[in-house]
Amino acid sequence: MATGTGQRRPRADARRNVARLVAAADEAFGRSGTDAPLEQVARAAGVAIGTLYGHFPHRRALIAAVLRERHDALFAVGEELLADRPPAEALAAWVRAVAGHAATYRGLAEVIAASLGDEASELHADCARLASFTHRIAARARRAGALRRGATDDDLVALMNAAAWVRVHHSPHQADRLIDATLASLRPT
Amino acid sequence: MATGTGQRRPRADARRNVARLVAAADEAFGRSGTDAPLEQVARAAGVAIGTLYGHFPHRRALIAAVLRERHDALFAVGEELLADRPPAEALAAWVRAVAGHAATYRGLAEVIAASLGDEASELHADCARLASFTHRIAARARRAGALRRGATDDDLVALMNAAAWVRVHHSPHQADRLIDATLASLRPT
DNA sequence: ACCTGAACACCGTTCAAGT
DNA sequence: ACCTGAACACCGTTCAAGT
C-alpha cells in the first residue's frame, strides 16, 4: 500500500546522483565560475549528461541547489545580526557577509542581480529573502539613526553586488574599501 | 621600386574587411556583450571566419580595435577636464565618464579589469593610459584639497569599474548613486 | 522512475588550398 | 598578401531506448 503522501521519497540512486552532481558543480563553479561546462560537471559526478538535465533543467536550478546550504548559513547570520548586534554594526556586517557570499563563484553576482527581478528564476525565492533581510536590517539601522534618510534598500543591494564583483575582478581588499567608503557616506552627517 | 618604409599600406580589400569586421563587432558587442559569437561577427561582416582570425588573433584584439575611437574620445575628455575644469568637478566628471565608457558593452568592465594587470593584452596600453589619466586627475584633486589623503588611485579605478558593472546589471540610476555616495566619502571631512 | 548516450546545433580555432 | 571554408574539438540541449 502506498504512503499516500504527494511527496514521494526519491529513489536511492537518484538521491545519490543529485548529491554527486551538486558536489561536482560546487567544485566546478569554484574553479571556473558559474559558466563552467555542465558536461564536465556530469563527467566529474560520474553520470551521463542527460541525468544532470533530468534533475536540473536549467543551469540556474543547479546553481540554486549548490547554494542551498550556503544560503541557509547566510540567513542564519542575518537572524543573528538582527537579534544580537547593534543596528549600525549589524548593517555593516550584513553588507560584508552578502558581498562575500556573492563572490563565492565568479559570475554569481550577475546571477543574483538577474534573479532579483526574475520570478521564473529558481533563485528568486532566495533573492527575495535576501532582499527582505536587507530591508529589515536597514530599517532597524534607520530607526537607530545609523543610516541616512536618502539611503535606500536598493543602494545597499547594489553595493553588496558591486563589492562582490570587485572582490572577484579586482581584489578582496578593494572590495572592502568600496564597502567602507560607501557605508561611511550612507551614515547621517 | 618599393616605398622602403617598414609600414606598408594594407591591400584595399583587407582594409575594407577590417572596417566591416570592426563595425559588425561593435554591433554584436552592443547587442550580446563582449562574448558575442565571432562567427556571427564574421557572417555579419560578410567575410569568412578565417579572415577575422587573420586580422584579430584574439577576441581582445577585436575588442581593442572596436574601442579605438571610443578611447580617443574618452582621453580627449580627460585632457579637457584637466585643462578646463576645477579639480573636484574634473574628478567627479572623469569617474562618471569612465564608468559610462566601461558600460558600453556587457562584459567590458571585466575585460578592462583583467587588462589593467595583463601586459599581454591588446588593451593594456589603453588601460595604462586610463590609469595615468586617473592618477593625474586624482593628484590634482588631492593638491586642491578635494580628495582625502587615504583615497588611492586604485579606489577610484575600482569604483569606476564597479559602477560600470552596476550600470549594466542593476541600472544606470543605481550606478550614479554608487558613484555619488562613494565620491562623497572620498572627499575630506 | 530514472538513467544512458547518441544526435543535432552552435561556436572557437587552425590551416591547407586558393587568388 | 590576403581570403576561403573545411576540419576538429568542445559544449548546450533534447530524446528515444533502455533498466
Side-chain angles (χ1 to χ4, degrees), chain B residues 34-184:
Chain B
T34 53
D35 290 331
L38 297 182
E39 216 170 41
Q40 288 178 19
V41 171
R43 194 156 39 231
V47 303
I49 183 62
T51 302
L52 188 156
Y53 277 91
H55 291 294
F56 306 103
H58 317 294
R59 178 181 293 271
R60 277 200 312 239
L62 181 55
I63 296 172
V66 166
L67 292 179
R68 185 93 277 165
E69 290 173 30
R70 291 182 189 275
H71 278 158
D72 288 346
L74 183 66
F75 296 140
V77 167
E79 295 286 10
E80 191 239 303
L81 291 173
L82 273 168
D84 300 348
R85 306 283 164 172
E89 184 188 322
L91 176 62
W94 177 244
V95 170
R96 272 183 257 277
V98 177
H101 165 71
T104 302
Y105 312 120
R106 185 154 42 85
L108 180 54
E110 284 83 347
V111 173
I112 289 173
S115 296
L116 278 164
D118 178 6
E119 300 200 9
S121 169
E122 290 85 350
L123 280 162
H124 187 257
D126 283 337
C127 287
R129 266 195 97 187
L130 197 146
S132 164
F133 267 101
T134 302
H135 177 70
R136 287 163 64 197
I137 293 173
R140 184 159 159 266
R142 264 182 219 106
R143 281 194 302 271
L147 187 60
R148 109 169 17 191
R149 286 186 55 78
T152 66
D153 294 351
D154 283 348
D155 290 342
L156 294 168
V157 172
L159 170 60
M160 296 178 309
N161 272 332
W165 185 88
V166 169
R167 181 171 273 269
V168 170
H169 290 91
H170 285 250
S171 70
H173 177 244
Q174 284 301 325
D176 287 341
R177 287 181 64 84
L178 180 67
I179 292 173
D180 289 345
T182 308
L183 281 184

Side-chain angles (χ1 to χ4, degrees), chain A residues 12-27:
Chain A
D13 57 344
R15 278 171 47 88
R16 206 191 47 205
N17 284 339
V18 165
R20 283 181 180 170
L21 282 164
V22 168
D26 175 63
E27 216 273 315

Side-chain angles (χ1 to χ4, degrees), chain A residues 11 14 17 48 50-51 55:
Chain A
R11 237 165 58 180
N17 284 339
T51 302
H55 292 293

